[in-house]
Amino acid sequence: MKLSDTELPVQDRAWIERELTADEQLLLVQKPMTSLWKPGYAYRMFFALLWNGTLSLAFLGIVSHWNNAAVRLPLLVCLLLLLPFVLVGVGFLISPWWERSLDRRTVYVLTDKRALVLRPSTFRRRPVARSYPLAHDLIKEVREYGRGCGDIVMEQLWAHGGHCIPLGFLFVQNVHELEYAIHTHLPDAPPKVQEPETAPAERPTLWSLLPALVILFFAARALMARLNLAADPELFKDSNEGGQSLAVILILSLICYFCISSLVRKGICWVKSRKN
């Protein structure tokens, strides 16, 4: 296969030519599907709304007392402290559009020696290239999402909190046909050695959810009490008390958010273990 036979833009062809060596033979070139909705986006949007809703409550509490000149300086400091969290929330909301623009410039390449993932970088002009040598265990997992699209996972990165980030040929059309094309060029697997059986993943129990539920209950009660107290304009006649009250509201809001996030993650683990 030659690059001139593909329908790729000139820039993508130049990127591929720079990555290929002289003795490599090009076998297949494919691009991911571009969509504003992918698996996992519902979970991300739920927490984006929860995150931004919590920040909106804190912002409304600050704005409601902005006319009080005595507490304007502490309120301004609170706004500056909230700014990084606002940027994170906005990033959550615009991430589908940002990832779609990256998918349009992503190229998957299969040669007789390796699989290449060329994905554009945010701050560098050249794309980030991930190379996977053709081995019998190249394909770690194949995920199908319906209508023939899916993922061919070649690497799994574990992020903080036990979250797995799949890497490889992601969100491609005709995933099983692509899987077959890759398998035909993989070397034969060595003879299997019988391994001891591993115990199944432990299912979260009610006792493991209890600490997060207790903390969430008391934090939510304290947050509601603070919000009711902050509605009293007499509180903000003293700038120190007003600033402390807003800081406590922000801390309690973050505690509630992280407790809900922990409960949802454990609930997802429980559902997955039940399916298995």
Side-chain angles (χ1 to χ4, degrees):
M1 181 180 181
K2 297 181 180 179
L3 281 175
S4 58
D5 299 333
T6 64
E7 299 179 356
L8 294 176
V10 177
Q11 186 178 15
D12 291 348
R13 296 181 189 179
W15 282 348
I16 296 174
E17 288 178 352
R18 283 198 297 264
E19 295 295 335
L20 295 182
T21 59
D23 57 343
E24 272 187 298
Q25 180 182 358
L26 187 65
L27 301 176
L28 184 144
V29 177
Q30 191 164 349
K31 295 180 71 68
M33 298 174 60
T34 56
S35 174
L36 282 176
W37 192 258
K38 288 183 179 180
Y41 278 9
Y43 178 80
R44 186 186 305 181
M45 289 298 107
F46 169 76
F47 279 105
L49 294 175
L50 181 63
W51 182 279
N52 288 283
T54 303
L55 293 177
S56 299
L57 291 176
F59 180 76
L60 290 175
I62 293 174
V63 171
S64 63
H65 301 282
W66 187 257
N67 293 330
N68 190 348
V71 296
R72 191 163 293 174
L73 181 60
L75 292 178
L76 183 59
V77 174
C78 290
L79 285 176
L80 293 176
L81 293 176
L82 283 176
L83 183 60
F85 299 99
V86 173
L87 296 177
V88 171
V90 173
F92 272 125
L93 291 176
I94 67 173
S95 59
W97 285 269
W98 177 253
E99 290 188 8
R100 184 176 67 171
S101 67
L102 293 180
D103 288 341
R104 287 174 176 170
R105 294 176 287 163
T106 299
V107 185
Y108 301 140
V109 180
L110 181 67
T111 70
D112 58 341
K113 294 185 178 180
R114 55 179 175 160
L116 280 171
V117 178
L118 301 180
R119 190 167 179 83
S121 175
T122 305
F123 302 106
R124 292 186 296 176
R125 185 175 181 181
R126 291 188 62 181
V128 177
R130 287 186 175 271
S131 178
Y132 305 97
L134 293 186
H136 69 278
D137 58 347
L138 172 64
I139 299 178
K140 303 297 188 295
E141 184 183 358
V142 178
R143 304 175 180 178
E144 186 177 4
Y145 302 124
R147 298 184 180 180
C149 69
D151 299 338
I152 297 181
V153 181
M154 302 176 183
E155 183 182 2
Q156 292 178 335
L157 298 179
W158 292 93
H160 178 69
H163 177 62
C164 178
I165 303 176
L167 298 174
F169 291 0
L170 306 180
F171 212 60
V172 292
Q173 291 180 337
N174 304 320
V175 62
H176 291 297
E177 295 181 8
L178 182 58
E179 179 192 8
Y180 177 77
I182 295 175
H183 271 299
T184 55
H185 296 92
L186 296 181
D188 295 333
K192 291 185 178 180
V193 179
Q194 188 174 2
E195 298 178 356
E197 295 183 359
T198 57
E202 185 178 355
R203 179 186 299 179
T205 61
L206 179 61
W207 293 108
S208 65
L209 301 177
L210 190 60
L213 286 172
V214 172
I215 295 174
L216 178 62
F217 175 75
F218 287 105
R221 289 192 61 182
L223 179 60
M224 294 302 298
R226 280 287 176 175
L227 289 174
N228 292 332
L229 185 64
D232 184 10
E234 296 294 329
L235 174 68
F236 288 88
K237 288 184 177 180
D238 187 352
S239 60
N240 292 328
E241 291 184 4
Q244 292 176 1
S245 180
L246 291 174
V248 170
I249 290 174
L250 178 60
I251 293 173
L252 290 174
S253 300
L254 292 176
I255 292 174
C256 291
Y257 168 78
F258 287 117
C259 288
I260 294 174
S261 175
S262 175
L263 290 172
V264 172
R265 284 200 304 268
K266 290 183 178 180
I268 292 174
C269 292
W270 185 86
V271 171
K272 288 183 177 179
S273 63
R274 187 182 179 93
K275 289 182 179 179
N276 294 333

